[in-house]
Amino acid sequence: MERLLLGFGDGIEILKPESLRNRIKAILGRAGNKYSENNEAIKK
């Protein structure tokens, strides 16, 4: 289910259930961290 929902990218917002919303939020947060300016892997 998560993979399917993530496939919609920024075209979807999960509202309920809150547990699913939180899982998606965590996954996207980790993905966003890979592209942050503070990512040490990029600087190497």
Side-chain angles (χ1 to χ4, degrees), residues 23-34:
R23 285 198 314 267
I24 298 296
K25 182 178 177 181
I27 291 168
L28 293 176
R30 288 191 302 269
N33 287 340
K34 292 181 180 184

Side-chain angles (χ1 to χ4, degrees), residues 11-30:
I12 189 171
E13 179 181 358
I14 309 302
L15 301 175
K16 292 190 178 197
E18 192 170 341
S19 59
L20 178 59
R21 179 180 173 91
N22 289 337
R23 285 198 314 267
I24 298 296
K25 182 178 177 181
I27 291 168
L28 293 176
R30 288 191 302 269

Side-chain angles (χ1 to χ4, degrees), residues 31-44:
N33 287 340
K34 292 181 180 184
Y35 293 93
S36 78
E37 293 181 16
N38 296 326
N39 188 341
E40 290 297 322
I42 295 172
K43 295 177 184 176
K44 293 180 181 178

